[in-house]
Amino acid sequence: MTRPELATAAADAFARVHGGEPTGLWSSPGRVNLIGEHTDYNEGFVFPFAIDRHTVVAARLRDDRLVRVSSGLRDGVEEIAIDDLAPDALDGWSAYALGVIWAAGELGGDLSSVRGVDLHVESDVPLGAGLSSSAALEGAVAVAIDELWQLGLDRRTLARIGRLAENEAVGAPTGIMDQSAVLLGQRDSGVLLDCRSLEATVVPLAFEAQGLAVLVIDTRVEHAHANGGYADRRASCERGAVGLGVSSLRDVSVDDLERAQQLLDEETFRRVRHIVTENARVLAVVDALRDAGPRSIGPLLAESHASMRDDFEISVPELDLAVSTAVAAGAIGSRMTGGGFGGAAIALVERDDLASISRSIHDAFAAAGFTEPATFEVLPSQGAALV
């Protein structure tokens, strides 16, 4: 759907579920991470961009202190009083939306006298594909309540609110990259985020100007950040930092890796090596974009995927096949994107090659006996906003 179509669907569904028209509609995009995986919670660097897939929230103030939230993807309505919001009172999909409201109160929003709110959610950001459907929902709810309740919170604070909601209300130990991308993104640009200082720099990508396209290959292998491998990788990074005597792996440079190999067990060292080299690759991609243009970044995307596959071990056979096929079919560069263990890969391609590369990937998946992937173009787009 286009964003206007999503907005219409959200308004119509709001009327059916909650009665009457919403006060307003707010949207937030999903995101693709061009490079910089698992570096965010290590206080490192990431370089995502917002995409032209969105979550739209229709909202209206109530006369009491209840929050009622519904979704086009779920039956029923979740309901809770603002005063009862707490991480242990929330579960399921609604924890993302309701967690944002709780977190806003924790991070500077005065909720003591605000009225309740009805919310309805519609989205075309694929679930479980590594395109951050969760941050899209958090971003849309955050900008909606900030405006409806006149909280006066800036975008960086709203990103912190989304992260707190996901960490505490949902229980997923993610960093702040996704929320920053969906709240700070701009058209045909990426957001270079320093996850230690939270300083964000908008960097032109020039994909449109150069006739390039970003192909997303959704493997349809679903992942869940609140369990398993993601938490294990984060724990490995924390062990590595302790073993090296630093507060976070941000303080470890490529030159330190020889010493790290001597001090750490083999698995922990490989986890550390991915983070350290990935930080360096993020900065190298930004430099390459500025100095040589987007066609120069292909080798860095390839190195990033190899590092995630071999050192961080978060790829799966479907992702590896998507990446290798895309490159063999003529992509400038390709890598998995997102937290791993499924989800999506991206390929930077000449726009004229988009269809042929997509066909090659579908053929390769069929030959391997894998579930048919979903392939589609995304455009680097504007961040969360009032529709």
Side-chain angles (χ1 to χ4, degrees), residues 75-379:
D75 293 330
V77 179
E78 301 286 339
E79 179 178 301
I80 191 171
I82 292 174
D83 300 312
D84 294 335
L85 287 169
D88 59 4
L90 308 176
D91 61 19
W93 78 269
S94 64
Y96 291 95
L98 298 172
V100 166
I101 298 174
W102 164 78
E106 297 293 304
L107 293 177
D110 182 3
L111 308 187
S112 61
S113 60
V114 300
R115 293 155 58 189
V117 64
D118 291 328
L119 304 166
H120 181 79
V121 179
E122 295 285 344
S123 183
D124 69 349
V125 183
L127 301 178
L131 302 181
S132 207
S133 56
S134 57
L137 175 54
E138 292 155 6
V141 172
V143 293
I145 63 168
D146 181 62
E147 187 161 342
L148 282 172
W149 289 338
Q150 298 182 342
L151 299 178
L153 302 172
D154 63 34
R155 288 299 174 102
R156 286 169 175 78
T157 301
L158 295 180
R160 290 171 55 222
I161 285 168
R163 176 181 62 178
L164 182 62
E166 193 146 346
N167 290 173
E168 299 297 329
V170 178
T174 55
I176 201 168
M177 170 184 68
D178 298 347
Q179 294 81 9
S180 297
V182 305
L183 285 157
L184 300 173
Q186 294 185 20
R187 180 175 174 174
D188 204 18
S189 298
V191 179
L192 173 63
L193 179 67
D194 180 335
C195 297
R196 170 168 282 175
S197 68
L198 301 189
E199 179 182 354
T201 305
V202 175
V203 179
L205 295 169
F207 293 168
E208 283 187 70
Q210 294 287 324
L212 303 180
V214 177
L215 177 68
V216 172
I217 307 110
D218 178 0
T219 65
R220 301 269 176 85
V221 178
E222 290 198 7
H223 62 191
H225 281 172
N227 59 28
Y230 193 103
D232 289 344
R233 296 308 183 276
R234 184 162 186 163
S236 289
C237 293
E238 291 167 356
R239 283 196 300 273
V242 170
L244 295 172
V246 295
S247 62
S248 80
L249 295 182
R250 166 64 175 274
D251 297 317
V252 182
S253 72
V254 172
D255 293 339
D256 296 323
L257 287 176
E258 185 175 346
R259 181 177 71 91
Q261 189 167 20
Q262 297 170 352
L263 293 174
L264 304 173
D265 66 82
E266 189 265 342
E267 181 181 276
T268 303
F269 168 69
R270 286 190 290 108
R271 306 295 189 248
V272 167
R273 181 167 60 187
H274 166 69
I275 300 300
V276 172
T277 57
E278 187 80 344
N279 274 327
R281 281 187 290 269
V282 172
L283 299 180
V285 162
V286 171
D287 287 344
L289 286 169
R290 287 170 171 161
D291 297 339
R295 287 181 177 82
S296 69
I297 69 173
L300 291 162
L301 301 182
E303 290 172 18
S304 176
H305 184 78
S307 181
M308 290 184 287
R309 182 191 63 214
D310 301 334
D311 278 353
F312 224 58
E313 296 181 287
I314 55 173
S315 190
V316 294
E318 289 88 345
L319 287 168
D320 294 338
L321 181 62
V323 167
S324 62
T325 304
V327 172
I332 293 165
S334 183
R335 63 186 285 276
M336 59 155 284
T337 186
F341 310 104
I346 57 169
L348 180 62
V349 305
E350 302 288 346
R351 179 167 295 282
D352 291 344
D353 295 338
L354 192 67
S356 63
I357 292 174
S358 181
R359 281 196 304 272
S360 295
I361 291 165
H362 281 266
D363 290 346
F365 271 58
F370 293 152
T371 299
E372 185 177 13
T375 55
F376 51 91
E377 180 187 1
V378 293
L379 299 173

